[in-house]
Amino acid sequence: MTQKVAVLGTGKIGEALLSGMIRGGWSPSDLLVTARRTERAEELRARYGVEAVPNPEAAKIADTLILTVKPQDMGALLDELAPHVPSDRLVISGAAGIPTAYFEQRLAAGTPVVRVMTNTPALVDEAMSVISAGSHATAEHLAHTEEIFGGVGKTLRVPEAQQDAATALSGSGPAYFYFLVEAMTDAGILLGLPRDKAHDLIVQAAIGAAVMLRDSGEHPVKLREAVTSPAGTTINAIRELERHGVRAALLAALEAARDRSRELATGKG
């Protein structure tokens, strides 16, 4: 791997991506990082053996720029980078809600841009990274992006028009499961279990259910029905979930997340 890749604004996700690339065979000498704080840049340099440089220098040196700053900070970063980014650089954005056109309008004409929404399971190599091409990105650019993000999990290509929906389901998705586990743990305590035991029971149930969903090929309705005996405990619980509108609440929640992703594209903080 001879291309140089720079991760700009290297926070938790950026660091996870960096470490995944190194595990996947990238040489630290081919990787650059930038960070807002000098001590953070030094920490990354010491931990991974990569070079830490200012943003403009990364733009001049690297063949691929991965922008991992928060959406509200992206405008300032692009203002800093634009004079230094030639049109043959691949720019990969990991910012929620910001369309590729936003970057194309601020960078040199013809600059290839790829939009990626990954999620925090990148920290344990179980991310889902959703990839969309901008108007100048080629199949080669998409394959290169998949090579990078494949080091921290799975990748999926979608049209950019579906990115806000993917952000609602996948980008924010882990938080919904954590919220559910938190609520179920409280229920376990209400039912008389110690917190640690309730937690262990629920986490293993979640892992087992996820593996079955992934590996069985069965529709989730069939898997749920296999647990739901006539007049049993599960159907009583399902009845209460439906009575309290849990399904409708999830639909509304994901619509709200999608709408917020769209708002971010308009610059609303």
Side-chain angles (χ1 to χ4, degrees), residues 151-176:
V152 292
K154 294 182 178 296
T155 63
L156 178 70
R157 295 187 194 184
V158 302
E160 188 170 10
Q162 296 176 2
Q163 272 282 357
D164 292 321
T167 297
L169 267 72
S170 182
S172 300
Y176 314 145

mmCIF file of all heavy atoms in Angstrom, residues 151-176:
data_model
loop_
_atom_site.group_PDB
_atom_site.id
_atom_site.type_symbol
_atom_site.label_atom_id
_atom_site.label_comp_id
_atom_site.label_asym_id
_atom_site.label_seq_id
_atom_site.Cartn_x
_atom_site.Cartn_y
_atom_site.Cartn_z
ATOM 1 N N GLY A 151 -11.554 -2.277 7.459
ATOM 2 C CA GLY A 151 -10.708 -2.668 8.582
ATOM 3 C C GLY A 151 -11.387 -2.587 9.923
ATOM 4 O O GLY A 151 -10.881 -3.125 10.916
ATOM 5 N N VAL A 152 -12.553 -1.917 9.988
ATOM 6 C CA VAL A 152 -13.247 -1.781 11.275
ATOM 7 C C VAL A 152 -14.672 -2.335 11.223
ATOM 8 O O VAL A 152 -15.490 -2.022 12.076
ATOM 9 C CB VAL A 152 -13.269 -0.311 11.745
ATOM 10 C CG1 VAL A 152 -11.856 0.156 12.098
ATOM 11 C CG2 VAL A 152 -13.889 0.603 10.698
ATOM 12 N N GLY A 153 -14.966 -3.162 10.231
ATOM 13 C CA GLY A 153 -16.295 -3.765 10.170
ATOM 14 C C GLY A 153 -16.764 -3.975 8.747
ATOM 15 O O GLY A 153 -15.969 -4.169 7.832
ATOM 16 N N LYS A 154 -18.071 -3.929 8.563
ATOM 17 C CA LYS A 154 -18.682 -4.148 7.261
ATOM 18 C C LYS A 154 -18.926 -2.813 6.556
ATOM 19 O O LYS A 154 -19.008 -1.770 7.200
ATOM 20 C CB LYS A 154 -20.004 -4.903 7.409
ATOM 21 C CG LYS A 154 -19.866 -6.327 7.935
ATOM 22 C CD LYS A 154 -21.215 -7.016 7.998
ATOM 23 C CE LYS A 154 -21.076 -8.455 8.480
ATOM 24 N NZ LYS A 154 -20.295 -9.283 7.529
ATOM 25 N N THR A 155 -19.059 -2.884 5.236
ATOM 26 C CA THR A 155 -19.385 -1.703 4.452
ATOM 27 C C THR A 155 -20.590 -1.993 3.563
ATOM 28 O O THR A 155 -20.857 -3.143 3.211
ATOM 29 C CB THR A 155 -18.206 -1.261 3.571
ATOM 30 O OG1 THR A 155 -17.901 -2.303 2.625
ATOM 31 C CG2 THR A 155 -16.970 -0.953 4.413
ATOM 32 N N LEU A 156 -21.301 -0.932 3.227
ATOM 33 C CA LEU A 156 -22.485 -1.054 2.368
ATOM 34 C C LEU A 156 -22.584 0.190 1.509
ATOM 35 O O LEU A 156 -22.533 1.303 2.026
ATOM 36 C CB LEU A 156 -23.748 -1.197 3.227
ATOM 37 C CG LEU A 156 -25.093 -1.282 2.482
ATOM 38 C CD1 LEU A 156 -25.192 -2.610 1.745
ATOM 39 C CD2 LEU A 156 -26.252 -1.126 3.459
ATOM 40 N N ARG A 157 -22.716 0.006 0.189
ATOM 41 C CA ARG A 157 -22.897 1.149 -0.706
ATOM 42 C C ARG A 157 -24.386 1.455 -0.856
ATOM 43 O O ARG A 157 -25.188 0.545 -1.051
ATOM 44 C CB ARG A 157 -22.319 0.859 -2.093
ATOM 45 C CG ARG A 157 -20.826 0.656 -2.142
ATOM 46 C CD ARG A 157 -20.360 0.551 -3.592
ATOM 47 N NE ARG A 157 -19.000 0.042 -3.693
ATOM 48 C CZ ARG A 157 -18.325 -0.073 -4.833
ATOM 49 N NH1 ARG A 157 -18.900 0.297 -5.976
ATOM 50 N NH2 ARG A 157 -17.093 -0.558 -4.836
ATOM 51 N N VAL A 158 -24.720 2.738 -0.771
ATOM 52 C CA VAL A 158 -26.098 3.171 -1.021
ATOM 53 C C VAL A 158 -26.058 4.460 -1.828
ATOM 54 O O VAL A 158 -25.062 5.198 -1.784
ATOM 55 C CB VAL A 158 -26.892 3.414 0.292
ATOM 56 C CG1 VAL A 158 -26.934 2.169 1.159
ATOM 57 C CG2 VAL A 158 -26.346 4.609 1.054
ATOM 58 N N PRO A 159 -27.126 4.782 -2.564
ATOM 59 C CA PRO A 159 -27.211 6.108 -3.185
ATOM 60 C C PRO A 159 -27.211 7.181 -2.102
ATOM 61 O O PRO A 159 -27.734 6.965 -0.998
ATOM 62 C CB PRO A 159 -28.557 6.065 -3.922
ATOM 63 C CG PRO A 159 -28.901 4.621 -4.043
ATOM 64 C CD PRO A 159 -28.298 3.940 -2.860
ATOM 65 N N GLU A 160 -26.654 8.331 -2.413
ATOM 66 C CA GLU A 160 -26.545 9.363 -1.389
ATOM 67 C C GLU A 160 -27.906 9.802 -0.857
ATOM 68 O O GLU A 160 -28.025 10.209 0.305
ATOM 69 C CB GLU A 160 -25.773 10.576 -1.911
ATOM 70 C CG GLU A 160 -25.477 11.566 -0.800
ATOM 71 C CD GLU A 160 -24.525 12.668 -1.201
ATOM 72 O OE1 GLU A 160 -24.214 12.796 -2.407
ATOM 73 O OE2 GLU A 160 -24.079 13.417 -0.305
ATOM 74 N N ALA A 161 -28.951 9.686 -1.671
ATOM 75 C CA ALA A 161 -30.295 10.064 -1.218
ATOM 76 C C ALA A 161 -30.758 9.222 -0.032
ATOM 77 O O ALA A 161 -31.679 9.622 0.690
ATOM 78 C CB ALA A 161 -31.288 9.934 -2.369
ATOM 79 N N GLN A 162 -30.124 8.062 0.188
ATOM 80 C CA GLN A 162 -30.505 7.185 1.298
ATOM 81 C C GLN A 162 -29.618 7.376 2.532
ATOM 82 O O GLN A 162 -29.808 6.698 3.541
ATOM 83 C CB GLN A 162 -30.456 5.727 0.843
ATOM 84 C CG GLN A 162 -31.445 5.391 -0.255
ATOM 85 C CD GLN A 162 -31.309 3.968 -0.769
ATOM 86 O OE1 GLN A 162 -30.486 3.178 -0.293
ATOM 87 N NE2 GLN A 162 -32.105 3.629 -1.777
ATOM 88 N N GLN A 163 -28.678 8.308 2.468
ATOM 89 C CA GLN A 163 -27.736 8.461 3.572
ATOM 90 C C GLN A 163 -28.399 8.941 4.863
ATOM 91 O O GLN A 163 -28.035 8.488 5.954
ATOM 92 C CB GLN A 163 -26.605 9.414 3.183
ATOM 93 C CG GLN A 163 -25.420 8.740 2.507
ATOM 94 C CD GLN A 163 -24.508 8.035 3.478
ATOM 95 O OE1 GLN A 163 -24.694 8.079 4.690
ATOM 96 N NE2 GLN A 163 -23.495 7.374 2.950
ATOM 97 N N ASP A 164 -29.371 9.846 4.768
ATOM 98 C CA ASP A 164 -30.016 10.319 5.998
ATOM 99 C C ASP A 164 -30.768 9.190 6.694
ATOM 100 O O ASP A 164 -30.764 9.096 7.926
ATOM 101 C CB ASP A 164 -30.959 11.477 5.687
ATOM 102 C CG ASP A 164 -30.213 12.735 5.256
ATOM 103 O OD1 ASP A 164 -29.147 13.017 5.828
ATOM 104 O OD2 ASP A 164 -30.689 13.422 4.331
ATOM 105 N N ALA A 165 -31.400 8.326 5.906
ATOM 106 C CA ALA A 165 -32.081 7.170 6.492
ATOM 107 C C ALA A 165 -31.069 6.214 7.120
ATOM 108 O O ALA A 165 -31.297 5.677 8.212
ATOM 109 C CB ALA A 165 -32.905 6.451 5.428
ATOM 110 N N ALA A 166 -29.949 5.997 6.432
ATOM 111 C CA ALA A 166 -28.914 5.114 6.971
ATOM 112 C C ALA A 166 -28.332 5.682 8.259
ATOM 113 O O ALA A 166 -28.022 4.932 9.200
ATOM 114 C CB ALA A 166 -27.813 4.902 5.930
ATOM 115 N N THR A 167 -28.192 6.993 8.324
ATOM 116 C CA THR A 167 -27.707 7.629 9.546
ATOM 117 C C THR A 167 -28.667 7.362 10.705
ATOM 118 O O THR A 167 -28.243 7.041 11.823
ATOM 119 C CB THR A 167 -27.557 9.145 9.328
ATOM 120 O OG1 THR A 167 -26.578 9.375 8.318
ATOM 121 C CG2 THR A 167 -27.131 9.852 10.607
ATOM 122 N N ALA A 168 -29.962 7.471 10.438
ATOM 123 C CA ALA A 168 -30.962 7.242 11.481
ATOM 124 C C ALA A 168 -30.933 5.806 11.976
ATOM 125 O O ALA A 168 -31.058 5.546 13.175
ATOM 126 C CB ALA A 168 -32.351 7.593 10.953
ATOM 127 N N LEU A 169 -30.787 4.848 11.051
ATOM 128 C CA LEU A 169 -30.826 3.438 11.434
ATOM 129 C C LEU A 169 -29.501 2.948 11.990
ATOM 130 O O LEU A 169 -29.466 2.284 13.030
ATOM 131 C CB LEU A 169 -31.221 2.572 10.229
ATOM 132 C CG LEU A 169 -32.713 2.266 10.098
ATOM 133 C CD1 LEU A 169 -33.490 3.499 9.680
ATOM 134 C CD2 LEU A 169 -32.934 1.149 9.070
ATOM 135 N N SER A 170 -28.421 3.249 11.277
ATOM 136 C CA SER A 170 -27.132 2.643 11.582
ATOM 137 C C SER A 170 -26.201 3.568 12.349
ATOM 138 O O SER A 170 -25.610 3.161 13.348
ATOM 139 C CB SER A 170 -26.459 2.197 10.269
ATOM 140 O OG SER A 170 -25.223 1.567 10.516
ATOM 141 N N GLY A 171 -26.069 4.811 11.886
ATOM 142 C CA GLY A 171 -25.176 5.727 12.575
ATOM 143 C C GLY A 171 -25.581 5.942 14.025
ATOM 144 O O GLY A 171 -24.764 5.869 14.946
ATOM 145 N N SER A 172 -26.875 6.180 14.229
ATOM 146 C CA SER A 172 -27.405 6.366 15.585
ATOM 147 C C SER A 172 -27.850 5.053 16.225
ATOM 148 O O SER A 172 -28.127 5.013 17.428
ATOM 149 C CB SER A 172 -28.609 7.323 15.549
ATOM 150 O OG SER A 172 -28.244 8.581 15.036
ATOM 151 N N GLY A 173 -27.915 4.000 15.422
ATOM 152 C CA GLY A 173 -28.506 2.741 15.865
ATOM 153 C C GLY A 173 -27.982 2.163 17.165
ATOM 154 O O GLY A 173 -28.772 1.711 18.010
ATOM 155 N N PRO A 174 -26.651 2.138 17.384
ATOM 156 C CA PRO A 174 -26.175 1.569 18.646
ATOM 157 C C PRO A 174 -26.789 2.219 19.883
ATOM 158 O O PRO A 174 -27.043 1.542 20.881
ATOM 159 C CB PRO A 174 -24.660 1.803 18.576
ATOM 160 C CG PRO A 174 -24.351 1.798 17.124
ATOM 161 C CD PRO A 174 -25.536 2.470 16.478
ATOM 162 N N ALA A 175 -27.057 3.522 19.817
ATOM 163 C CA ALA A 175 -27.634 4.206 20.985
ATOM 164 C C ALA A 175 -29.002 3.646 21.343
ATOM 165 O O ALA A 175 -29.361 3.578 22.528
ATOM 166 C CB ALA A 175 -27.733 5.708 20.732
ATOM 167 N N TYR A 176 -29.782 3.257 20.324
ATOM 168 C CA TYR A 176 -31.107 2.708 20.613
ATOM 169 C C TYR A 176 -30.989 1.395 21.387
ATOM 170 O O TYR A 176 -31.765 1.133 22.312
ATOM 171 C CB TYR A 176 -31.902 2.454 19.333
ATOM 172 C CG TYR A 176 -31.881 3.586 18.326
ATOM 173 C CD1 TYR A 176 -31.886 3.312 16.965
ATOM 174 C CD2 TYR A 176 -31.854 4.918 18.724
ATOM 175 C CE1 TYR A 176 -31.859 4.331 16.032
ATOM 176 C CE2 TYR A 176 -31.824 5.942 17.799
ATOM 177 C CZ TYR A 176 -31.826 5.645 16.447
ATOM 178 O OH TYR A 176 -31.795 6.646 15.511
#
